């Protein structure tokens, strides 16, 4: 089965979530491909391999087993690999569940992103519009930046970055009625386990917060936005988006950016 949307789900220690996620795919009528990215050192790796065998005939589902790189590292590795094969790339945690609606959530993602480079996210019933805890974007964003999330972060704060990318390139859509529920302990929808404890530890919160502010305030965010605004301009045939200057001439006046310009 061919599809142009791949959802990447890094997962660890929670093999029981695989059939739950695929049940959500079936309940919502989703055709998007899903890639479960599993660590080879996961104590539950044998259970994941059983699921991989069980879903082998399902054209929507793939598994990958590799060295542990934590959430952002795994997501980036798989997104960069997939960017040349899929038009749209998405991230969900193994604790996200798409919910049924009049129009399937994956169809809405394709519809929103069909106009060119951009980002879309839905309502996770926890953070809402504030954070893109699950996100979809055009694959050319990953190709342009070389990653799907800033590699200086390990787990936290990337949901803030995705919103900043979309707003900064003036290509973001929040769909309040597209529910991709986040079954998180903060919403009293899951019990704390070893994965939650590790990624929400004081040390990890501090490290990812510091990395976020260094990226946001230290020039990394603005450098990425320059690239993303150029991407939008190229998609518009080299015409600058209104109010956005991504290139200047000697007088400082905004000018069009020709495709292929550096």
């Amino acid at each position: 089965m061919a599809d142009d949307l791949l959802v990447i789900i890094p997962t660890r220690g929670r093999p029981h979530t695989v059939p739950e996620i695929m049940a959500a795919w079936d309940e919502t009528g989703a055709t998007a491909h899903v890639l479960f990215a599993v660590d080879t050192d996961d104590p539950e790796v044998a259970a994941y391999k059983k699921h991989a065998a069980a879903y082998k005939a399902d054209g929507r589902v793939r598994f990958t087993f590799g060295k542990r790189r934590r959430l952002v590292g795994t997501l980036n590795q798989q997104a960069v690999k997939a960017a040349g094969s899929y038009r749209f790339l998405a991230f969900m945690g193994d604790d996200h569940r798409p919910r049924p609606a009049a129009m399937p959530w994956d169809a809405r993602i394709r519809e929103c992103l069909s106009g060119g480079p951009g980002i879309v996210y839905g309502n996770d019933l926890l953070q809402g519009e504030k954070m893109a805890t699950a996100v979809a974007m055009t694959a050319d964003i990953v190709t342009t930046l070389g990653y799907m999330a800033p590699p200086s972060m390990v787990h936290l704060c990337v949901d803030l970055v995705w919103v900043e990318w979309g707003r900064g390139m003036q290509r973001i859509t929040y769909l309040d009625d597209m529910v991709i529920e986040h079954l998180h302990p903060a919403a009293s929808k899951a019990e704390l386990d070893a994965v939650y404890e590790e990624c929400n530890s004081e040390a990890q919160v501090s490290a990812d917060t510091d990395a976020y502010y260094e990226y946001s305030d230290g020039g990394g965010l603005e450098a990425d936005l320059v690239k993303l605004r150029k991407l939008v301009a190229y998609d518009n045939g080299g015409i600058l988006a209104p109010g956005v200057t991504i290139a200047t001439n000697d007088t400082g006046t905004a000018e069009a950016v020709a495709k292929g310009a550096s």
Side-chain angles (χ1 to χ4, degrees):
M1 179 187 298
D3 205 282
D4 55 2
L5 169 61
L6 175 69
V7 182
I8 302 169
I9 303 181
T11 180
R12 182 178 177 87
R14 298 170 182 159
H16 64 279
T17 64
V18 172
E20 293 175 5
I21 290 168
M22 294 317 303
W25 249 242
D26 293 338
E27 290 165 4
T28 58
T31 62
H33 288 181
V34 56
L35 174 65
F36 292 100
V38 184
D39 301 328
T40 51
D41 71 345
D42 191 325
E44 300 287 347
V45 69
Y48 279 111
K49 288 184 176 180
K50 287 183 179 178
H51 285 315
Y55 285 99
K56 189 174 182 180
D58 190 328
R60 300 170 300 177
V61 188
R62 288 192 291 120
F63 284 75
T64 182
F65 296 86
K67 176 183 176 181
R68 191 183 188 199
R69 292 176 170 84
R70 304 293 300 274
L71 187 145
V72 170
T74 297
L75 176 62
N76 283 338
Q77 182 195 44
Q78 298 305 322
V80 169
K81 283 184 179 180
S85 302
Y86 289 87
R87 186 180 177 191
F88 312 116
L89 297 172
F91 159 78
M92 289 185 196
D94 57 12
D95 55 357
H96 282 93
R97 301 290 183 275
R99 297 309 185 193
M103 182 177 182
W105 57 273
D106 59 334
R108 295 196 72 189
I109 286 173
R110 295 184 196 91
E111 181 179 73
C112 288
L113 296 179
S114 63
I119 291 174
V120 61
Y121 65 112
N123 187 353
D124 71 346
L125 304 183
L126 178 59
Q127 298 296 343
E129 190 171 4
K130 293 185 295 184
M131 295 183 185
T133 64
V135 71
M137 64 186 68
T138 50
D140 51 10
I141 290 176
V142 175
T143 302
T144 295
L145 298 181
Y147 47 76
M148 192 167 176
S152 59
M153 298 167 206
V154 171
H155 191 104
L156 306 173
C157 300
V158 292
D159 39 22
L160 296 171
V161 171
W162 289 324
V163 173
E164 290 171 338
W165 283 357
R167 290 176 178 171
M169 64 194 290
Q170 298 184 5
R171 291 291 189 93
I172 189 165
T173 303
Y174 169 69
L175 298 171
D176 187 68
D177 59 340
M178 184 179 78
V179 176
I180 300 178
E181 188 173 6
H182 197 182
L183 303 178
H184 194 277
S188 300
K189 295 177 179 178
E191 298 295 326
L192 280 173
D193 61 15
V195 176
Y196 285 127
E197 289 177 351
E198 180 182 42
C199 67
N200 291 289
S201 68
E202 184 177 345
Q204 192 60 66
V205 170
S206 178
D208 275 344
T209 299
D210 288 348
Y212 167 74
Y213 281 112
E214 174 59 30
Y215 172 77
S216 179
D217 301 336
L221 173 60
E222 185 54 36
D224 281 349
L225 288 179
V226 167
K227 296 175 184 178
L228 294 176
R229 290 167 185 152
K230 285 183 178 180
L231 176 64
V232 172
Y234 295 163
D235 188 67
N236 287 340
I239 306 301
L240 288 171
V244 179
T245 301
I246 60 173
T248 58
N249 58 26
D250 292 339
T251 67
T253 303
E255 62 182 11
V257 178
K259 290 186 178 182
S262 59

